[in-house]
């Protein structure tokens, strides 16, 4: 079978562990000849006579009959492997020289270098997993928080795809009755109860809508939340960043305009990553460099999901703060107002800063230098993102491709209801149902194209 420009019948090889010097490296081979190729250069037990899921100690011998390394070889005999092909994993010492020598030796003996994601592509094409599960492998590798890991594991184990397959099967059962009606169109018979079909379509739409709504949270968990820290000079933005990160990341000074460029760091709060961006103070710049910093600040504010606006509690009136926010806030952005240096002005009343778009719950008074109320600020940030929506036991959509397919399926089902209500002929209703089935099938790989698969798997690392 051909896939793009290479043959999936080939035996492939790649480094499965990160490149660079380490204690060990793992080289993976997959394909019909994987065990035979390893056997050609392995001095130890005859690998082709060993059982699946066994490990063997021995030496790899070069073509010049020299020992390259002493290794452990793990055998996975088809179909009991990740790819459902014969798979060999060679654990060697982590020298980049040894790894390259072994890979080149395997290539000389008949393997070829794997393409990005080709091991997982083969697992998908051989029925080991569906397409959404295959995509979850990449998400699992990239996960860097507990929540992102949970979502990826849930998807890889079929939680999301099982939901989609169930919805699709219910619709498919009715679609088959509709198609049957088309075969007997001259008989004027009705196999599919229209009321039952309408109820089913509405039920499926409700479930799809819930999945679509989960994307906002899923995307946040997967990619993090852009959170810009903005305000006037000397408001204590850099001090706040340092306190949140618990390290001296930004230079702190009483001199206005100290921060000239943006500083970006990641803060993990209960499994959610906040991409904190400390910015230059907003004012009329005193020189060209500061002007560039202020311009960058405005760009970052425009791109942020959360604007964490910090101001000196001693200096700005509610009217001044509201005027600043009117200039800064953009649509679909959440504001968290942070009056700082409260130890010097404990009489400040947060309720005076409330507006139609800024409730009291989004105003947190702090004294960054004294670490006052910082944990409350972190908790407020977390609640702004997840509220009561974080239930990782339910399927959560975190993939843009899945979101688009769900939106298209939802739209097609809306057309089904619309056309049924308008009394259009069965063939048009069947067409809309087929379209919905197609889009649901796109998610799990029931329908796919080489271009789609190439786009998905090319983003994987080489050894996966």
């Amino acid at each position: 079978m051909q896939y793009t420009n290479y043959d999936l019948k080939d035996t492939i090889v790649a480094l499965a562990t990160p490149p660079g010097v380490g204690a060990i490296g793992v080289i993976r081979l997959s394909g019909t000849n994987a065990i035979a190729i390893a056997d050609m250069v392995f001095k130890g037990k005859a690998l082709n006579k060993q059982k699946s899921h066994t490990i063997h100690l021995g030496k790899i011998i070069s073509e010049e009959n020299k020992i390259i390394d002493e290794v452990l070889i793990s055998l996975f005999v088809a179909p009991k492997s990740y790819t459902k092909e014969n798979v060999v994993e060679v654990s060697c010492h982590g020298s980049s020289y040894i790894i390259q020598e072994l890979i080149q030796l395997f290539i000389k003996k008949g393997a070829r270098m794997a393409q990005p994601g080709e091991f997982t592509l083969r697992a998908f094409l051989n029925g080991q997993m569906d397409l959404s599960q295959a995509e979850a492998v990449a998400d699992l590798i990239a996960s860097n928080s507990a929540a992102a890991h949970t979502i990826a594991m849930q998807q890889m184990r079929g939680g999301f795809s099982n939901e989609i397959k169930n919805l699709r099967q219910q619709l498919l059962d009715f679609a088959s009755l509709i198609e049957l009606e088309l075969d007997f169109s001259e008989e004027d018979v009705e196999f599919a109860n229209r009321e039952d079909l309408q109820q089913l379509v509405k039920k499926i739409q409700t479930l799809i809508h819930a999945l679509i709504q989960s994307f906002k949270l899923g995307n946040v968990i997967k990619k993090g939340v852009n959170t810009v820290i903005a305000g006037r000079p000397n408001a204590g933005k850099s001090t706040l960043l340092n306190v949140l990160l618990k390290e001296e990341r930004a230079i702190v000074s009483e001199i206005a305009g100290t921060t000239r460029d943006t500083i970006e760091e990641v803060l993990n709060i209960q499994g959610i990553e906040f991409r904190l961006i400390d910015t230059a103070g907003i004012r009329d710049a005193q020189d060209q460099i500061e002007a560039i910093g202020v311009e960058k600040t405005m760009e970052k504010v425009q791109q942020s999901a959360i604007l964490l606006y910090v101001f000196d509690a001693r200096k700005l009136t509610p009217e001044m703060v509201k005027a600043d926010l009117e200039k800064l806030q953009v649509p679909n952005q959440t504001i968290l107002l942070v009056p700082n240096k409260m130890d010097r002005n404990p009489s400040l009343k947060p309720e005076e800063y409330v507006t139609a778009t800024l409730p009291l719950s989004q105003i947190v008074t702090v004294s960054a230098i004294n670490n006052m109320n910082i944990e409350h600020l972190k908790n407020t940030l977390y609640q702004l993102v997840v509220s009561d929506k974080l239930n990782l036991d339910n399927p959560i959509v975190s993939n843009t491709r899945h979101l688009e397919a769900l939106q298209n399926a939802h739209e097609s089902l809306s057309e089904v209801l619309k056309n049924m209500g308008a009394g259009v002929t069965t063939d048009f209703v069947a067409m809309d149902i087929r379209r919905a089935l197609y889009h649901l099938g796109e998610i799990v790989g029931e329908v796919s194209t080489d271009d789609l698969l190439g786009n998905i798997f090319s983003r994987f690392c080489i050894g996966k």
Side-chain angles (χ1 to χ4, degrees):
M1 175 183 177
Q2 291 288 326
Y3 177 73
T4 63
N5 297 321
Y6 50 90
D7 194 336
L8 290 171
K9 292 180 180 178
D10 293 342
T11 295
I12 55 176
V13 63
L15 178 65
T17 46
V21 178
I24 65 167
V26 177
I27 298 167
R28 175 182 286 163
L29 296 102
S30 181
T32 304
N33 297 322
I35 296 174
I37 288 172
D39 224 358
M40 292 180 196
V41 297
F42 182 70
K43 187 174 182 181
K45 292 181 180 178
L47 297 177
N48 60 0
K49 297 180 180 178
Q50 308 308 313
K51 294 180 180 180
S52 182
H53 293 69
T54 55
I55 299 176
H56 308 280
L57 176 66
K59 298 177 178 65
I60 300 288
I61 307 299
S62 70
E63 291 185 309
E64 293 76 29
N65 206 32
K66 293 182 179 179
I67 297 173
I68 298 176
D69 196 16
E70 188 171 56
V71 302
L72 283 173
I73 285 190
S74 304
L75 291 182
F76 304 91
V77 180
K80 297 178 180 180
S81 73
Y82 180 71
T83 60
K84 281 200 168 183
E85 301 173 331
N86 287 334
V87 171
V88 173
E89 291 186 353
V90 182
S91 298
C92 62
H93 291 95
S95 154
S96 55
Y97 169 78
I98 290 173
I99 289 168
Q100 286 305 313
E101 285 292 302
L102 292 180
I103 289 175
Q104 289 305 313
L105 183 60
F106 291 135
I107 289 173
K108 287 177 184 177
K109 296 301 180 181
R112 68 162 170 81
M113 279 299 295
Q115 297 293 318
E118 191 173 355
F119 291 98
T120 306
L121 170 66
R122 291 183 176 204
F124 162 66
L125 292 174
N126 292 331
Q128 183 77 314
M129 58 182 72
D130 64 41
L131 194 54
S132 72
Q133 289 174 301
E135 288 170 290
V137 172
D139 289 343
L140 186 64
I141 293 169
S143 65
N144 45 20
S145 72
H149 171 267
T150 300
I151 289 177
M153 280 299 296
Q154 181 202 66
Q155 186 172 322
M156 197 172 80
R157 296 168 83 174
F160 173 61
S161 58
N162 287 341
E163 186 91 358
I164 296 301
K165 288 174 182 175
N166 182 42
L167 296 179
R168 192 170 185 269
Q169 188 58 51
Q170 291 180 58
L171 192 59
L172 193 59
D173 291 341
F174 255 99
S176 61
L177 297 177
I178 294 288
E179 297 291 342
L180 192 60
E181 287 181 14
L182 293 176
D183 291 339
F184 289 89
S185 56
E186 294 180 2
E187 311 294 331
D188 194 27
V189 293
E190 188 176 282
F191 295 105
N193 184 290
R194 294 304 187 263
E195 278 190 26
D196 289 347
L197 177 57
Q198 281 185 326
Q199 291 304 312
L200 175 63
V201 169
K202 288 177 182 177
K203 173 189 168 187
I204 293 174
Q205 273 196 313
T206 299
L207 294 171
I208 288 177
H209 179 72
L211 290 172
I212 291 171
Q213 291 300 107
S214 75
F215 176 76
K216 185 176 180 180
L217 178 59
N219 199 45
V220 158
I221 291 172
K222 183 177 177 180
K223 296 184 177 179
V225 188
N226 282 341
T227 306
V228 68
I229 303 174
R232 298 190 183 190
N234 275 355
K237 300 183 297 297
S238 296
T239 302
L240 181 63
L241 176 71
N242 289 341
V243 171
L244 286 170
L245 296 174
K246 295 183 179 179
E247 64 174 286
E248 297 298 313
R249 179 63 182 85
I251 297 172
V252 176
S253 168
E254 290 295 324
I255 302 171
T258 303
T259 303
R260 298 299 188 95
D261 201 354
T262 57
I263 299 173
E264 301 189 19
E265 287 292 340
V266 174
L267 173 67
N268 190 308
I269 306 176
Q270 299 182 51
I272 303 295
E273 287 197 338
F274 292 83
R275 302 188 179 281
L276 297 180
I277 307 165
D278 182 25
T279 59
I282 300 168
R283 68 170 181 176
D284 292 332
Q286 304 300 304
D287 55 55
Q288 187 177 1
I289 295 176
E290 188 181 358
I292 294 171
V294 173
E295 185 180 341
K296 282 190 174 183
T297 294
M298 300 307 292
E299 288 177 5
K300 293 297 183 181
V301 169
Q302 296 282 323
Q303 298 164 6
S304 65
I306 295 178
L307 169 59
L308 202 158
Y309 183 83
V310 184
F311 70 94
D312 189 329
R314 303 168 301 171
K315 295 181 178 179
L316 297 194
T317 65
E319 289 69 32
M320 297 166 90
V321 170
K322 290 171 186 176
D324 282 357
L325 293 179
E326 283 180 10
K327 296 174 186 175
L328 293 173
Q329 190 176 19
V330 296
N332 300 317
Q333 183 185 67
T334 301
I335 292 178
L336 181 54
L337 189 65
V338 183
N340 189 25
K341 307 183 184 180
M342 284 296 293
D343 55 314
R344 302 183 190 180
N345 184 19
S347 61
L348 179 140
K349 297 178 180 178
E351 59 269 18
E352 293 180 356
Y353 295 83
V354 171
T355 67
T357 57
L358 183 65
L360 190 60
S361 60
Q362 290 172 215
I363 302 174
V364 180
T365 58
V366 304
S367 171
I369 200 167
N370 295 313
N371 208 26
M372 183 192 97
N373 242 8
I374 298 303
E375 288 306 312
H376 178 49
L377 176 62
K378 288 182 180 180
N379 187 58
T380 303
L381 271 172
Y382 177 80
Q383 291 301 326
L384 285 179
V385 174
V386 303
S387 184
D388 59 350
K389 298 177 292 185
L390 189 58
N391 182 357
L392 299 183
D393 292 331
N394 294 330
I396 293 178
V397 179
S398 61
N399 184 302
T400 304
R401 187 184 73 83
H402 299 168
L403 175 68
E404 290 175 356
L406 287 167
Q407 289 171 330
N408 290 333
H410 193 278
E411 185 179 329
S412 297
L413 291 174
S414 293
E415 287 298 310
V416 172
L417 293 175
K418 176 184 171 184
N419 288 335
M420 286 177 67
V424 300
T425 56
T426 301
D427 53 342
F428 282 102
V429 173
M431 194 182 303
D432 293 325
I433 293 176
R434 285 189 212 112
R435 195 175 296 118
L437 286 168
Y438 175 86
H439 292 306
L440 290 175
E442 279 184 311
I443 296 172
V444 293
E446 296 287 343
V447 291
S448 58
T449 64
D450 275 2
D451 287 341
L452 172 65
L453 296 181
N455 184 49
I456 289 171
F457 289 102
S458 64
R459 300 176 186 177
F460 280 58
C461 52
I462 295 290
K464 200 63 185 177

